[in-house]
Amino acid sequence: MSPTAPRTGPGTSRAPYGSAEVDPRQATEPILALNNVEVIYDEVILVLRGLSMSVAEGRIVALLGSNGAGKSTTLKAISGLLPTEDGEVSDGSITYQGRDITHTDAATIVRDGISQVMEGRRVFEHLSVHENLLAGGYTRSHGEHADDLDRIYTYFPRLADRRSQTAGYLSGGEQQMLAIGRALMAHPRLMTLDEPSLGLAPLLVEEIFSIIGRLNDELGTTILLVEQNARLALDIADHAYVMESGRIVLDGPAAELAANPDVQEFYLGLTEEGARRSYRDVKHYKRRKRWL
Amino acid sequence: MNIFVQLTVTGLTNGAILALAALGFVLIFKSTGVINFAQGEFLLIGAYAVYVGTVAAHWTVGILLGLLVAVVLGVGVERLILRPLVGQPIIAVIMVTIGLGIFLRSVVQIIFGNRPLPFPDFIPGGSVNLLGATVPANRLWGIGLAAVTLAVFTVFFTRSRHGIAMRAVADDQQAALTMGISVRRVFAMAWALAAVSAVIGGMLVANLIGVSGGIIEFGLLVFPVVILGGLDSVPGAMIGGAIVGLLITYTGGYVGGGLQSVVPYVVLVGILLVRPYGLFGQVRIERV
């Protein structure tokens, strides 16, 4: 199929891209909803241009998109981190459990139950593994720490082995586990993860994704996952959103999205026939064809 | 031998007090990245606050007043002077702390004048026989008090929730925010704790040399101490304090001739040649 040929697959027969209303198929009450959120950096750079999405309680929701689409910004807007980077939500609203948290400060948002695992792991390098976890439990009372630590060491036995080691010297995979464990210490109801697979070996990535799945299953933690590795993300997620240039351009149940020829082409590197394409062609093609 | 014991006690007293002053400096630099050139003045204000409270009522009141003044001073400086400077060039922040130091020093002079005041001696005086040498008891008390304070701070940083939060902020402010740690509150706490350690240090210096502007000169020795120990290291501040304190006293006692004011800096340069981050300064962690 040539790059410019018109498409007639099931992907184009869906609702027009960009109309990202809340999907009626997500039956449960959304725990988090973003309504036409606009984010501006330094008062001039518009990064999110009216983004709307919702996350249903107890689900895993994936947010896909290429570099610079605004995925990390979306997570930072939710966590209240934008002021630290001269950014602000200039329009729209973010509601969590029915309450408006658009301009709530980061510390309060963590107390309310949203924890973010930031891109690049960001462990406290000079603190030990144990102290990193204690820092994660800052918002909880001292009495709860013992149980919480036990639980995290059961999920991540490797961290238990390294409990008194300086976190900066852990391997990348262990640091990612520590970052997730640290976020768990705050008892989040909603955990947002920014590129947990970044820079990790494939085996470790699978391990980490299986743990994310277990956290969702066993603890009932709602997960909002930003990933470049679309295949893995769609595997684990219930629902997925695709964003480009600061807007949602496509969304649906993860399985449906994985079958969508456009998604296959742009994010999974497959042609419509299902054969793998050279990654180089995909990139080249992407430069000419845009969703919007 | 007698002289050695005496000099060691004197050196350790100076060292312990220096460590307290340096601890405050390190605290502020580590968590907020600000180099506080007014640390000597913090010692001065602490000493005067304890003096006023003690003279007016009782030494317990003096210490409480000192701590109260420390917290108000620390939090006030952070809130009113440094917070508006967030994001400004480091040189601007340094100039502001230098200016703050001059301001505080002058205010103290306006109120209390230039004459040294005798520090009320609630710390037991007299002398004690130690290993065959006669040493002043107040110096031993000084070492003890400073050691206890430093131990309390160490436990605070390694065990308590707020101590760990402060170290977390020092490592990565944004990540600390995602743990629900309020970075602003940690900054305020760092300044307050720095002022508290300065008050205890100032009180101990005043007990030795009287309440006067000389306390600031003592405070200036903080710089060789923290550079030697590592600008961001709490144990470094303690050990650096002990080293500088002992060096000065030994040189003064055995060599003399004003050499004691030079030797610390010579040793400082020597150590920096070998360990550029100072003895215990945090090395940037790079994984390979």
Side-chain angles (χ1 to χ4, degrees):
Chain A
M1 181 175 174
S2 95
T4 44
R7 313 191 145 271
T8 49
T12 40
S13 64
R14 273 180 50 83
Y17 305 138
S19 73
E21 288 138 20
V22 175
D23 192 320
R25 274 165 297 185
Q26 279 187 286
T28 37
E29 183 72 8
I31 187 170
L32 179 82
L34 282 77
N35 306 306
N36 290 309
V37 171
E38 239 178 56
V39 167
I40 194 163
Y41 279 108
D42 286 328
E43 292 176 10
V44 281
I45 309 157
L46 193 60
V47 178
L48 297 190
R49 307 150 187 265
L51 175 136
S52 296
M53 64 182 291
S54 75
V55 177
E57 173 120 47
R59 301 289 174 81
I60 300 183
V61 174
L63 180 57
L64 310 176
S66 52
N67 286 336
K71 305 184 300 288
S72 295
T73 299
T74 308
L75 292 196
K76 282 174 186 158
I78 296 168
S79 307
L81 290 182
L82 291 177
T84 63
E85 299 182 345
D86 279 328
E88 59 162 342
V89 177
S90 50
D91 200 8
S93 69
I94 303 173
T95 51
Y96 169 69
Q97 294 183 320
R99 273 175 305 127
D100 186 6
I101 56 158
T102 317
H103 299 288
T104 310
D105 70 285
T108 311
I109 287 175
V110 176
R111 276 171 211 278
D112 286 350
I114 304 181
S115 283
Q116 181 176 2
V117 179
M118 294 185 77
E119 183 177 357
R121 312 188 279 267
R122 307 284 286 269
V123 298
F124 301 121
E125 292 191 332
H126 296 97
L127 272 60
S128 71
V129 168
H130 195 73
E131 287 170 337
N132 264 276
L133 293 177
L134 289 179
Y138 179 78
T139 55
R140 312 297 298 186
S141 75
H142 228 61
E144 293 166 296
H145 282 169
D147 286 351
D148 291 348
L149 287 166
D150 274 353
R151 192 175 50 202
I152 284 155
Y153 286 138
T154 342
Y155 275 106
F156 304 101
R158 267 199 237 203
L159 294 183
D161 298 340
R162 303 189 185 276
R163 131 188 3 217
S164 52
Q165 261 189 30
T166 304
Y169 292 113
L170 298 179
S171 74
E174 289 160 350
Q175 287 190 353
Q176 187 64 61
M177 293 177 190
L178 180 55
I180 296 174
R182 187 176 65 175
L184 274 182
M185 285 293 288
H187 287 226
R189 294 188 61 177
L190 169 66
M191 186 183 317
T192 65
L193 294 112
D194 198 349
E195 305 262 3
S197 75
L198 193 76
L200 300 184
L203 266 180
L204 272 171
V205 172
E206 270 179 32
E207 190 179 338
I208 282 170
F209 270 70
S210 90
I211 289 171
I212 294 172
R214 278 179 58 204
L215 296 177
N216 173 252
D217 247 20
E218 297 165 16
L219 305 178
T221 313
T222 309
I223 307 269
L224 174 57
L225 176 68
V226 158
E227 252 306 330
Q228 297 243 10
N229 190 332
R231 185 183 311 276
L232 267 172
L234 289 176
D235 260 3
I236 190 181
D238 302 302
H239 197 91
Y241 288 86
V242 176
M243 69 184 291
E244 193 162 283
S245 307
R247 287 193 191 97
I248 300 293
V249 289
L250 185 63
D251 85 286
E256 205 169 287
L257 242 64
N260 178 314
D262 284 342
V263 172
Q264 290 193 342
E265 178 109 29
F266 294 121
Y267 295 98
L268 302 178
L270 300 174
T271 62
E272 241 168 39
E273 293 76 41
R276 255 169 214 281
R277 278 173 70 130
S278 151
Y279 190 56
R280 208 171 135 240
D281 294 342
V282 176
K283 287 200 97 164
H284 178 71
Y285 177 41
K286 262 177 79 176
R287 244 176 268 134
R288 284 196 268 160
K289 160 93 166 70
R290 284 272 166 191
W291 296 98
L292 290 170
Chain B
M1 186 62 195
N2 277 0
I3 290 190
F4 178 74
V5 174
Q6 274 175 347
L7 288 180
T8 307
V9 169
T10 311
L12 281 180
T13 323
N14 294 344
I17 298 169
L18 279 177
L20 278 176
L23 177 73
F25 183 92
V26 167
L27 265 178
I28 292 174
F29 179 74
K30 199 174 153 78
S31 41
T32 70
V34 171
I35 296 179
N36 179 22
F37 279 89
Q39 189 68 10
E41 280 76 9
F42 277 29
L43 292 179
L44 183 75
I45 291 203
Y48 274 103
V50 176
Y51 170 83
V52 167
T54 311
V55 168
H58 188 248
W59 63 269
T60 45
V61 179
I63 289 182
L64 284 178
L65 181 68
L67 295 180
L68 182 73
V69 167
V71 172
V72 170
L73 179 69
V75 174
V77 166
E78 196 275 332
R79 187 88 11 138
L80 300 176
I81 300 180
L82 285 147
R83 193 168 294 173
L85 285 172
V86 168
Q88 299 301 314
I90 188 75
I91 191 77
V93 179
I94 289 176
M95 291 315 292
V96 164
T97 65
I98 293 178
L100 174 71
I102 296 172
F103 170 77
L104 292 177
R105 191 186 311 174
S106 315
V107 166
V108 167
Q109 262 182 20
I110 291 168
I111 301 176
F112 297 97
N114 266 331
R115 273 188 311 130
L117 304 163
F119 192 72
D121 47 350
F122 58 83
I123 296 175
S127 56
V128 180
N129 203 317
L130 184 79
L131 298 170
T134 314
V135 293
N138 63 356
R139 287 199 168 261
L140 292 180
W141 275 97
I143 296 177
L145 255 174
V148 168
T149 313
L150 293 173
V152 168
F153 270 105
T154 308
V155 171
F156 171 76
F157 283 120
T158 49
R159 306 257 167 226
S160 84
R161 170 170 164 248
H162 290 290
I164 290 175
M166 281 182 79
R167 288 165 60 214
V169 168
D171 253 19
D172 189 332
Q173 289 181 14
Q174 216 180 23
L177 271 177
T178 67
M179 311 283 102
I181 297 169
S182 162
V183 172
R184 286 181 176 185
R185 196 177 306 164
V186 164
F187 279 14
M189 206 187 314
W191 278 89
L193 287 178
V196 164
S197 77
V199 163
I200 300 174
M203 178 182 88
L204 294 175
V205 192
N207 183 46
L208 300 175
I209 67 172
V211 190
S212 74
I215 294 173
I216 295 173
E217 281 157 43
F218 196 86
L220 279 182
L221 281 170
V222 153
F223 293 102
V225 170
V226 290
I227 295 170
L228 186 72
L231 277 174
D232 48 12
S233 164
V234 172
M238 300 181 195
I239 293 174
I243 292 178
V244 171
L246 285 170
L247 264 179
I248 290 177
T249 332
Y250 285 148
T251 325
Y254 289 121
V255 188
L259 208 58
Q260 64 266 36
S261 36
V262 183
V263 166
Y265 296 95
V266 175
V267 173
L268 178 65
V269 170
I271 289 185
L272 284 185
L273 283 178
V274 189
R275 295 189 61 94
Y277 294 100
L279 286 176
F280 298 92
Q282 268 177 2
V283 180
R284 275 186 49 213
I285 292 182
E286 288 183 35
R287 293 184 308 122
V288 261

